[in-house]
Amino acid sequence: MPWLRCGTALSSALGCDGRYSGTPRCSRLCLWADDDNLILPAKLMQRKGLASRREAQRLMRDGFVLVDGQVHIAPEEKVPCTASIELRQDVHLPAKPVVVLHKPRGILSAHSPDGYTDPVAWQLLKGNRFWRPKDNVMKLSIEEKLIEQVVQEPSRMAICGRLDKDSRGLLFMTEDGVVAKRLVQAKKLVKEYIVRCSPQLNASQLRRLNGPMQLDRKDLLPMCVAEMEGNPHAIRFLLREGRNRQIRRVVERVGSHVVDLFRIAVGSIKIGELPEGHWRLLAAEEVESGLGS
């Protein structure tokens, strides 16, 4: 990636698809277990990305969950953290919508506090704002059903990840608890932003941003910050976390101010040609390839 000219460990750990190649700290299942190496099966299913905890409990009660090859119907009965857990092969969970929204400035990414009237992201999930990409891979019958599901009850869609009121760009919304958790907590997903600052950042300020930094007395994961080729007025930020107003605060720390913040990608899912204020559905294949497991 020729635009990465920052001497950080992050740049060498990034693949061409913008995915962090380091080993997640929670790669050992037993780190999730209690002291007796036992774990609630719903928690194990959530960790393995099979279902949300609430959904896992329902599936167990319905007899759809196998633990070490045997039907397990007691959600409160713990199992070994090394147990094999899976759904019966004849179980097909209904598709749940995963939405990408191009959030404009002035739109909140969370429900407004009482007494406030600022528009909220889910209010943009209307039928006339749906956008279908030219290379759409989703079956039309599935797409129509999911669109209807989103439009009928848009407030049910959970907003995943921060994007403050004054920022714009890619925002995920979903009813799928497993996908929501993956988006909010995964440190291997690289978030990509194009940022304009005033005054323009100089070489010394870029070096500081690429070095060790703290917010709220806690170390930040390494950032990769570089000028965009052919556009010295725009700065590209790559982050593996999303502290509250992180980019704005670190830019202020080095003596400048963010005037425009545009999130263009999370993992390998990019905002592309999605018009501002419009939304589209992600196919299951896009979720798996773009967000990882």
PDB file of all heavy atoms in Angstrom, residues 22-41:
ATOM      1  N   GLY A  22      -2.456  -9.757  13.204  1.00  0.00           N
ATOM      2  CA  GLY A  22      -1.991 -10.206  14.501  1.00  0.00           C
ATOM      3  C   GLY A  22      -2.913 -11.267  15.078  1.00  0.00           C
ATOM      4  O   GLY A  22      -4.033 -11.463  14.645  1.00  0.00           O
ATOM      5  N   THR A  23      -2.449 -11.950  16.123  1.00  0.00           N
ATOM      6  CA  THR A  23      -3.237 -12.997  16.754  1.00  0.00           C
ATOM      7  C   THR A  23      -4.115 -12.401  17.835  1.00  0.00           C
ATOM      8  O   THR A  23      -3.619 -11.723  18.721  1.00  0.00           O
ATOM      9  CB  THR A  23      -2.305 -14.051  17.393  1.00  0.00           C
ATOM     10  OG1 THR A  23      -1.470 -14.584  16.376  1.00  0.00           O
ATOM     11  CG2 THR A  23      -3.119 -15.166  18.038  1.00  0.00           C
ATOM     12  N   PRO A  24      -5.441 -12.596  17.783  1.00  0.00           N
ATOM     13  CA  PRO A  24      -6.319 -12.070  18.822  1.00  0.00           C
ATOM     14  C   PRO A  24      -5.953 -12.625  20.186  1.00  0.00           C
ATOM     15  O   PRO A  24      -5.582 -13.794  20.310  1.00  0.00           O
ATOM     16  CB  PRO A  24      -7.717 -12.546  18.403  1.00  0.00           C
ATOM     17  CG  PRO A  24      -7.589 -12.886  16.950  1.00  0.00           C
ATOM     18  CD  PRO A  24      -6.178 -13.328  16.756  1.00  0.00           C
ATOM     19  N   ARG A  25      -6.075 -11.798  21.220  1.00  0.00           N
ATOM     20  CA  ARG A  25      -5.711 -12.237  22.552  1.00  0.00           C
ATOM     21  C   ARG A  25      -6.637 -13.322  23.074  1.00  0.00           C
ATOM     22  O   ARG A  25      -6.292 -14.055  23.987  1.00  0.00           O
ATOM     23  CB  ARG A  25      -5.732 -11.045  23.521  1.00  0.00           C
ATOM     24  CG  ARG A  25      -4.569 -10.093  23.288  1.00  0.00           C
ATOM     25  CD  ARG A  25      -4.631  -8.935  24.257  1.00  0.00           C
ATOM     26  NE  ARG A  25      -5.815  -8.125  23.993  1.00  0.00           N
ATOM     27  CZ  ARG A  25      -6.170  -7.101  24.758  1.00  0.00           C
ATOM     28  NH1 ARG A  25      -5.470  -6.779  25.825  1.00  0.00           N
ATOM     29  NH2 ARG A  25      -7.254  -6.401  24.459  1.00  0.00           N
ATOM     30  N   CYS A  26      -7.849 -13.431  22.528  1.00  0.00           N
ATOM     31  CA  CYS A  26      -8.810 -14.404  23.039  1.00  0.00           C
ATOM     32  C   CYS A  26      -8.850 -15.644  22.155  1.00  0.00           C
ATOM     33  O   CYS A  26      -9.885 -16.247  21.966  1.00  0.00           O
ATOM     34  CB  CYS A  26     -10.200 -13.782  23.128  1.00  0.00           C
ATOM     35  SG  CYS A  26     -10.786 -13.141  21.554  1.00  0.00           S
ATOM     36  N   SER A  27      -7.694 -16.037  21.598  1.00  0.00           N
ATOM     37  CA  SER A  27      -7.683 -17.171  20.694  1.00  0.00           C
ATOM     38  C   SER A  27      -7.822 -18.496  21.428  1.00  0.00           C
ATOM     39  O   SER A  27      -8.098 -19.508  20.814  1.00  0.00           O
ATOM     40  CB  SER A  27      -6.389 -17.177  19.879  1.00  0.00           C
ATOM     41  OG  SER A  27      -5.266 -17.241  20.732  1.00  0.00           O
ATOM     42  N   ARG A  28      -7.629 -18.508  22.753  1.00  0.00           N
ATOM     43  CA  ARG A  28      -7.764 -19.753  23.513  1.00  0.00           C
ATOM     44  C   ARG A  28      -9.125 -19.764  24.176  1.00  0.00           C
ATOM     45  O   ARG A  28      -9.451 -18.910  24.998  1.00  0.00           O
ATOM     46  CB  ARG A  28      -6.657 -19.851  24.556  1.00  0.00           C
ATOM     47  CG  ARG A  28      -5.267 -20.041  23.954  1.00  0.00           C
ATOM     48  CD  ARG A  28      -4.201 -19.927  25.022  1.00  0.00           C
ATOM     49  NE  ARG A  28      -4.488 -20.833  26.138  1.00  0.00           N
ATOM     50  CZ  ARG A  28      -4.036 -20.604  27.376  1.00  0.00           C
ATOM     51  NH1 ARG A  28      -3.348 -19.532  27.652  1.00  0.00           N
ATOM     52  NH2 ARG A  28      -4.332 -21.467  28.334  1.00  0.00           N
ATOM     53  N   LEU A  29      -9.914 -20.797  23.880  1.00  0.00           N
ATOM     54  CA  LEU A  29     -11.282 -20.846  24.395  1.00  0.00           C
ATOM     55  C   LEU A  29     -11.317 -20.806  25.913  1.00  0.00           C
ATOM     56  O   LEU A  29     -12.205 -20.217  26.501  1.00  0.00           O
ATOM     57  CB  LEU A  29     -11.973 -22.110  23.885  1.00  0.00           C
ATOM     58  CG  LEU A  29     -12.333 -22.123  22.403  1.00  0.00           C
ATOM     59  CD1 LEU A  29     -12.966 -23.465  22.063  1.00  0.00           C
ATOM     60  CD2 LEU A  29     -13.294 -21.008  22.079  1.00  0.00           C
ATOM     61  N   CYS A  30     -10.363 -21.447  26.581  1.00  0.00           N
ATOM     62  CA  CYS A  30     -10.444 -21.563  28.030  1.00  0.00           C
ATOM     63  C   CYS A  30     -10.252 -20.228  28.733  1.00  0.00           C
ATOM     64  O   CYS A  30     -10.495 -20.131  29.930  1.00  0.00           O
ATOM     65  CB  CYS A  30      -9.441 -22.588  28.538  1.00  0.00           C
ATOM     66  SG  CYS A  30      -9.917 -24.292  28.118  1.00  0.00           S
ATOM     67  N   LEU A  31      -9.814 -19.206  28.036  1.00  0.00           N
ATOM     68  CA  LEU A  31      -9.740 -17.889  28.646  1.00  0.00           C
ATOM     69  C   LEU A  31     -11.132 -17.351  28.935  1.00  0.00           C
ATOM     70  O   LEU A  31     -11.285 -16.415  29.728  1.00  0.00           O
ATOM     71  CB  LEU A  31      -8.993 -16.913  27.721  1.00  0.00           C
ATOM     72  CG  LEU A  31      -7.507 -17.189  27.512  1.00  0.00           C
ATOM     73  CD1 LEU A  31      -6.924 -16.159  26.550  1.00  0.00           C
ATOM     74  CD2 LEU A  31      -6.755 -17.154  28.823  1.00  0.00           C
ATOM     75  N   TRP A  32     -12.160 -17.903  28.305  1.00  0.00           N
ATOM     76  CA  TRP A  32     -13.530 -17.428  28.508  1.00  0.00           C
ATOM     77  C   TRP A  32     -14.215 -18.146  29.662  1.00  0.00           C
ATOM     78  O   TRP A  32     -15.304 -17.774  30.062  1.00  0.00           O
ATOM     79  CB  TRP A  32     -14.373 -17.655  27.253  1.00  0.00           C
ATOM     80  CG  TRP A  32     -13.766 -17.136  26.013  1.00  0.00           C
ATOM     81  CD1 TRP A  32     -12.904 -16.081  25.883  1.00  0.00           C
ATOM     82  CD2 TRP A  32     -13.989 -17.630  24.701  1.00  0.00           C
ATOM     83  NE1 TRP A  32     -12.579 -15.895  24.584  1.00  0.00           N
ATOM     84  CE2 TRP A  32     -13.223 -16.828  23.820  1.00  0.00           C
ATOM     85  CE3 TRP A  32     -14.752 -18.646  24.175  1.00  0.00           C
ATOM     86  CZ2 TRP A  32     -13.209 -17.024  22.453  1.00  0.00           C
ATOM     87  CZ3 TRP A  32     -14.750 -18.851  22.819  1.00  0.00           C
ATOM     88  CH2 TRP A  32     -13.972 -18.047  21.973  1.00  0.00           C
ATOM     89  N   ALA A  33     -13.612 -19.228  30.161  1.00  0.00           N
ATOM     90  CA  ALA A  33     -14.301 -20.097  31.102  1.00  0.00           C
ATOM     91  C   ALA A  33     -14.118 -19.612  32.536  1.00  0.00           C
ATOM     92  O   ALA A  33     -13.314 -18.735  32.840  1.00  0.00           O
ATOM     93  CB  ALA A  33     -13.779 -21.529  30.958  1.00  0.00           C
ATOM     94  N   ASP A  34     -14.893 -20.224  33.453  1.00  0.00           N
ATOM     95  CA  ASP A  34     -14.734 -19.969  34.875  1.00  0.00           C
ATOM     96  C   ASP A  34     -13.498 -20.710  35.377  1.00  0.00           C
ATOM     97  O   ASP A  34     -12.827 -21.430  34.641  1.00  0.00           O
ATOM     98  CB  ASP A  34     -15.977 -20.447  35.624  1.00  0.00           C
ATOM     99  CG  ASP A  34     -17.223 -19.693  35.157  1.00  0.00           C
ATOM    100  OD1 ASP A  34     -17.076 -18.538  34.706  1.00  0.00           O
ATOM    101  OD2 ASP A  34     -18.321 -20.275  35.239  1.00  0.00           O
ATOM    102  N   ASP A  35     -13.243 -20.569  36.680  1.00  0.00           N
ATOM    103  CA  ASP A  35     -12.061 -21.208  37.261  1.00  0.00           C
ATOM    104  C   ASP A  35     -12.095 -22.718  37.118  1.00  0.00           C
ATOM    105  O   ASP A  35     -11.063 -23.375  37.094  1.00  0.00           O
ATOM    106  CB  ASP A  35     -11.937 -20.826  38.740  1.00  0.00           C
ATOM    107  CG  ASP A  35     -11.619 -19.340  38.909  1.00  0.00           C
ATOM    108  OD1 ASP A  35     -11.088 -18.744  37.952  1.00  0.00           O
ATOM    109  OD2 ASP A  35     -11.900 -18.791  39.998  1.00  0.00           O
ATOM    110  N   ASP A  36     -13.280 -23.301  37.052  1.00  0.00           N
ATOM    111  CA  ASP A  36     -13.397 -24.751  36.926  1.00  0.00           C
ATOM    112  C   ASP A  36     -13.383 -25.214  35.468  1.00  0.00           C
ATOM    113  O   ASP A  36     -13.705 -26.358  35.172  1.00  0.00           O
ATOM    114  CB  ASP A  36     -14.669 -25.255  37.615  1.00  0.00           C
ATOM    115  CG  ASP A  36     -15.922 -24.538  37.117  1.00  0.00           C
ATOM    116  OD1 ASP A  36     -15.784 -23.691  36.207  1.00  0.00           O
ATOM    117  OD2 ASP A  36     -17.012 -24.823  37.639  1.00  0.00           O
ATOM    118  N   ASN A  37     -12.994 -24.288  34.552  1.00  0.00           N
ATOM    119  CA  ASN A  37     -12.924 -24.611  33.124  1.00  0.00           C
ATOM    120  C   ASN A  37     -14.279 -24.999  32.547  1.00  0.00           C
ATOM    121  O   ASN A  37     -14.351 -25.731  31.562  1.00  0.00           O
ATOM    122  CB  ASN A  37     -11.904 -25.720  32.840  1.00  0.00           C
ATOM    123  CG  ASN A  37     -10.533 -25.136  32.535  1.00  0.00           C
ATOM    124  OD1 ASN A  37     -10.403 -23.933  32.303  1.00  0.00           O
ATOM    125  ND2 ASN A  37      -9.520 -25.978  32.560  1.00  0.00           N
ATOM    126  N   LEU A  38     -15.344 -24.515  33.155  1.00  0.00           N
ATOM    127  CA  LEU A  38     -16.693 -24.728  32.643  1.00  0.00           C
ATOM    128  C   LEU A  38     -17.257 -23.387  32.177  1.00  0.00           C
ATOM    129  O   LEU A  38     -16.848 -22.330  32.642  1.00  0.00           O
ATOM    130  CB  LEU A  38     -17.602 -25.335  33.714  1.00  0.00           C
ATOM    131  CG  LEU A  38     -17.211 -26.723  34.227  1.00  0.00           C
ATOM    132  CD1 LEU A  38     -18.162 -27.163  35.331  1.00  0.00           C
ATOM    133  CD2 LEU A  38     -17.210 -27.747  33.096  1.00  0.00           C
ATOM    134  N   ILE A  39     -18.210 -23.468  31.278  1.00  0.00           N
ATOM    135  CA  ILE A  39     -18.768 -22.253  30.695  1.00  0.00           C
ATOM    136  C   ILE A  39     -20.233 -22.497  30.346  1.00  0.00           C
ATOM    137  O   ILE A  39     -20.619 -23.627  30.016  1.00  0.00           O
ATOM    138  CB  ILE A  39     -17.966 -21.849  29.434  1.00  0.00           C
ATOM    139  CG1 ILE A  39     -18.402 -20.491  28.906  1.00  0.00           C
ATOM    140  CG2 ILE A  39     -18.063 -22.895  28.345  1.00  0.00           C
ATOM    141  CD1 ILE A  39     -17.499 -19.960  27.795  1.00  0.00           C
ATOM    142  N   LEU A  40     -21.049 -21.458  30.446  1.00  0.00           N
ATOM    143  CA  LEU A  40     -22.428 -21.590  30.007  1.00  0.00           C
ATOM    144  C   LEU A  40     -22.460 -21.830  28.497  1.00  0.00           C
ATOM    145  O   LEU A  40     -21.748 -21.154  27.749  1.00  0.00           O
ATOM    146  CB  LEU A  40     -23.223 -20.330  30.353  1.00  0.00           C
ATOM    147  CG  LEU A  40     -23.540 -20.128  31.840  1.00  0.00           C
ATOM    148  CD1 LEU A  40     -24.112 -18.734  32.064  1.00  0.00           C
ATOM    149  CD2 LEU A  40     -24.509 -21.190  32.341  1.00  0.00           C
ATOM    150  N   PRO A  41     -23.246 -22.781  28.040  1.00  0.00           N
ATOM    151  CA  PRO A  41     -23.241 -23.098  26.605  1.00  0.00           C
ATOM    152  C   PRO A  41     -23.649 -21.915  25.727  1.00  0.00           C
ATOM    153  O   PRO A  41     -23.142 -21.768  24.620  1.00  0.00           O
ATOM    154  CB  PRO A  41     -24.234 -24.260  26.494  1.00  0.00           C
ATOM    155  CG  PRO A  41     -25.048 -24.215  27.743  1.00  0.00           C
ATOM    156  CD  PRO A  41     -24.155 -23.671  28.802  1.00  0.00           C
TER     157      PRO A  41
END
